[in-house]
Amino acid sequence: MPHARATHFTRRGILAAGGALGLGAALAACGDDDAKSGGSGKEAAAARSGSWSFKDDRGTTVKLDKVPANIVAFTGVGAALHDYGISVKGVFGPTKTTDGKADVQAGDMDISKVTILGNTWDQFNVEKYAALAPDVLITTMFDDAGTLWYVPEASKDKIAQLAPSVGISVYDRQLTEPLQRMWALAESLGADMKAAKVTDAKKKFEQAAARLRKAAKAKPGIKVMAGSASDALFYVSGTDLSVDLEYFKALGVNLVEPPAKAKAKGGGWYESLSWENVDKYAADIIMMDDRSSAIQPADITKATWKKLPAVKAGQVISRSPEPILSYDKCVPLLTSLAEALENAKKVS
């Protein structure tokens, strides 16, 4: 989940929200391409003709005389594009862990082959960025104000002067929408969306969504809580802003929902609890933030955590509050929750 960051959040906050950094209507079809696909066919045609344009989720249309070759992206966006066969030259955001391994948000990218402009919050080497001669910068957005995720406030104007930007919104919508938008963006950049790897991943996503829907229907009494851990606080994510939780809710998953007043300090994303109050909400399954900014379940030493029924029952799974927006990477998110529901016992 992201940290105190966006216009009205603290960095820890957004990271906790993620979520917690950190969907209404029943789905007509899981992962189907519709009008939300962003006109990908037209954009792909433009790519084939040599010129390139893409209308992002701010309503901004970026137009270039050729398809971008030098792409710089937020790490998770670079990972999603990689799954579609599109390489980026540089990345910013959590990319490398302290032991030198690829961060979870880097997906299958070979991080030794990309220029890392910044690995933590507020890190962005503008000089290195300029040296890459970027054609476009691509990132996500966690608010409705068009704030580009992980682009530092202090240097955003200098960064904007060097190349146009594309923002894909992951704010207050179901997971399928940004997945469709990333699909459209990748297609516009020249990805082969008819490749077996790509179409198979989309089919597996649809199958995983159907499995999760079935599991949720079979276990309506199983309560699922989305959490994130720091040394001082435990964050409980609400379901009405995060793309994954909104989608899980739409599929019928019974999720813990802190009241609006309790989430107010977290910008509506999450409620902060002291570890003494970590048992405030009854939960049979706990989904824990898998990002490197959060303490992982195996490393939580708090006695109150270990006493939680879901923890004692071994019903704790990982959650990706900032999912890599490719169908391939989102399949395990649905499958993991579906399997947890199928095997869950009522313990709360």
Side-chain angles (χ1 to χ4, degrees):
M1 315 186 165
H3 276 294
R5 147 42 170 201
T7 51
H8 50 289
F9 297 77
T10 63
R11 171 182 168 191
R12 174 68 206 171
I14 264 209
L15 291 175
L21 287 151
L23 288 166
L27 300 174
C30 299
D32 58 335
D33 290 303
D34 56 15
K36 294 179 182 177
S37 66
S40 59
K42 185 181 295 183
E43 287 149 359
R48 288 192 294 272
S49 70
S51 63
W52 183 81
S53 70
F54 189 84
K55 185 175 182 180
D56 76 358
D57 292 337
R58 297 169 297 182
T60 300
T61 299
V62 177
K63 296 181 179 180
L64 300 174
D65 58 8
K66 62 178 181 178
V67 178
N70 295 342
I71 301 171
V72 172
F74 173 68
T75 302
V77 171
L81 292 175
H82 173 84
D83 285 351
Y84 291 127
I86 302 297
S87 298
V88 301
K89 294 292 181 67
V91 294
F92 55 95
T95 307
K96 184 184 293 186
T97 60
T98 53
D99 59 1
K101 297 180 180 179
D103 188 274
V104 64
Q105 294 192 64
D108 293 332
M109 280 194 301
D110 183 344
I111 62 172
S112 69
K113 295 182 178 179
V114 294
T115 298
I116 301 174
L117 303 176
N119 196 60
T120 61
W121 191 261
D122 268 346
Q123 279 188 355
F124 193 112
N125 191 312
V126 180
E127 289 72 25
K128 281 188 177 181
Y129 180 56
L132 291 175
D135 294 322
V136 67
L137 178 150
I138 309 172
T139 187
T140 49
M141 300 182 297
F142 276 87
D143 61 26
D144 56 4
T147 305
L148 297 177
W149 188 236
Y150 264 81
V151 174
E153 183 69 22
S155 55
K156 67 177 184 179
D157 292 338
K158 290 182 180 179
I159 293 168
Q161 291 173 5
L162 295 170
S165 61
V166 168
I168 300 298
S169 181
V170 288
Y171 175 75
D172 194 18
R173 61 201 63 207
Q174 295 180 25
L175 179 60
T176 45
E177 185 171 346
L179 275 173
Q180 291 161 5
R181 295 291 288 141
M182 191 62 70
W183 175 290
L185 176 60
E187 185 173 29
S188 78
L189 293 168
D192 179 4
M193 310 315 282
K194 294 183 180 180
K197 178 182 177 181
V198 174
T199 57
D200 287 351
K202 190 169 185 290
K203 182 180 294 185
K204 288 178 181 177
F205 177 87
E206 293 165 352
Q207 293 170 341
R211 178 181 175 183
L212 179 53
R213 188 197 299 274
K214 181 179 179 181
K217 186 176 181 180
K219 297 282 188 73
I222 296 295
K223 200 74 173 179
V224 180
M225 179 169 68
S228 183
S230 72
D231 185 59
L233 296 169
F234 183 83
Y235 305 89
V236 179
S237 292
T239 66
D240 52 354
L241 294 178
S242 300
V243 292
D244 61 329
L245 300 184
E246 287 202 13
Y247 186 50
F248 298 158
K249 183 178 179 180
L251 291 174
V253 178
N254 185 1
L255 287 149
V256 168
E257 182 64 63
K261 186 175 181 180
K263 294 184 294 182
K265 289 184 179 180
W269 289 90
Y270 60 91
E271 177 180 3
S272 303
L273 298 175
S274 66
W275 282 102
E276 289 73 19
N277 295 315
V278 73
D279 60 353
K280 179 177 179 178
Y281 297 105
D284 303 296
I285 296 172
I286 303 176
M287 304 174 64
M288 291 296 291
D289 188 345
D290 69 355
R291 290 172 298 178
S292 54
S293 59
I295 299 175
Q296 296 306 299
D299 299 320
I300 300 175
T301 59
K302 308 292 185 182
T304 50
W305 163 260
K306 294 181 179 180
K307 291 179 181 178
L308 293 177
V311 176
K312 292 170 70 175
Q315 296 181 170
V316 178
I317 63 173
S318 65
R319 175 197 171 212
S320 298
E322 293 183 66
I324 294 172
L325 297 171
S326 71
Y327 287 103
D328 178 71
K329 292 300 180 290
C330 287
V331 169
L333 311 185
L334 276 64
T335 302
S336 174
L337 181 53
E339 183 176 355
L341 282 169
E342 290 164 354
N343 298 325
K345 296 179 181 179
K346 185 70 178 175
V347 295
S348 63

